[in-house]
Each structure stands twice: as C-alpha cells, then as structure tokens.
Amino acid sequence: MRISVPLTKEGLLADQYGKFAPASDMLADHPIRSFPIEIADVPAGTESLALTFVDFDSTPVCGFTWIHWLAANFPANTTLIGDDASRKDGHGFVQGKNSNAGRLVNGDPAITKGYVGPQPPDQIHDYTLTVYALDTTLDLNEGYWLNEFRHAAKGHVLEKVSLELPSRAN
C-alpha cells in the first residue's frame, strides 16, 4: 500500500492545514481543514481503511503524544481522502476524538472530534500519518478514543503504511 500527501517545495505540510491557516479554516484558534491523502495499492481482502495522525514530537512539550486526527471505516476502494474531508457532511466514515478531548487539556468542545491540525510551539515537528488496511469494518461510533480503535483493529490489520509530515513552528 502507498499513501501520499502534497507537501510544499520545502517538504512541509502546507500552512493551510496547520497553525498558519487562514481564519476561515480555524475554529477556537485551531486549524480544522484536513489535508488530502492519496491511497494506492490497497491489499486484496481489504474491507475498510482507517487513519491516525499523531505528533510524537509533542511529548517533550506537553508530556504525551498529541492525537490530531482519528478516522475509520473508509470504503476499501477509497483512492483519495479529499481536502477538508473531516468537515464535509456525509463523509461516510467515523471520526474519533483528538487530544483536545482529554480532561487534562480542557479543550473547546467544538474541536474535540475530527481533524485539528499541527501547531508546533517550539520547532518543526514531524507528524505521523498512518493508514491501515483492515479486513473488516470496525464497530466504532463517532467520537471514539484511540485506545478503542487499537482494540477494535487488533487482529484485523492487513497492512499499514506511515508518512512523516513535518509542519513549521514559525
């Protein structure tokens, strides 16, 4: 399986998907426009696709890995998760909670589910996008947690592929 995301000529995630997004793509001071993802060569036997988008570089800053986007149950024949798919109505997949939903963060309820983009405070962070090919559709509801995804996907991952997507701090 292969995935790709358009990057700037400097090899960074475009500003419109992160902390330098225009006001129209911000909510509660957080970027909410998700980036497009191209998917190819999905393995035979795939019933659905899922994704996680996390920031492991956040650990020294806030003490834990920051979850930016969880989404599951894309149809197996998906070749493009389009620009701003997280906000589009009738998207046909379920979205989980991001780290703004955690009790320790006290995030705005408007931004606790779906995509919330990179906002590295200190330096360029590498954000890890992982797409999973699954042999089933997962029994997950809107607003699921990452641990629920991990338990539901256990034993059902046919293949997974990851990309590091750097985003600038300034």
Side-chain angles (χ1 to χ4, degrees), residues 42-153:
V42 172
T46 299
E47 291 293 322
S48 71
L49 302 169
L51 68 81
T52 59
F53 184 54
V54 300
D55 178 10
F56 293 103
D57 288 340
S58 69
T59 305
V61 178
C62 68
F64 56 90
T65 298
W66 193 272
I67 302 163
H68 286 272
W69 194 17
L70 304 174
N73 296 339
F74 294 93
N77 64 351
T78 301
T79 58
L80 176 67
I81 298 170
D83 180 81
D84 206 17
S86 178
R87 287 193 288 176
K88 300 224 169 137
D89 290 335
H91 44 62
F93 55 92
V94 295
Q95 298 187 85
K97 292 178 181 158
N98 58 53
S99 286
N100 289 301
R103 288 183 309 133
L104 300 176
V105 178
N106 295 318
D108 186 317
I111 55 164
T112 59
K113 183 177 65 90
Y115 179 86
V116 64
Q119 294 183 288
D122 56 343
Q123 61 189 359
I124 290 175
H125 283 206
D126 287 329
Y127 295 79
T128 305
L129 170 67
T130 303
V131 174
Y132 303 80
L134 305 162
D135 67 3
T136 190
T137 299
L138 300 179
D139 185 20
L140 296 169
N141 296 315
E142 282 288 321
Y144 64 89
W145 293 97
L146 178 58
N147 62 314
E148 291 176 286
F149 166 74
R150 293 182 66 238
H151 292 295

Side-chain angles (χ1 to χ4, degrees), residues 3-27:
I3 59 173
S4 63
V5 171
L7 300 175
T8 66
K9 64 182 180 181
E10 295 83 18
L12 300 169
L13 189 63
D15 283 348
Q16 70 194 46
Y17 306 114
K19 77 188 285 184
F20 300 103
S24 60
D25 291 330
M26 300 287 275
L27 181 62

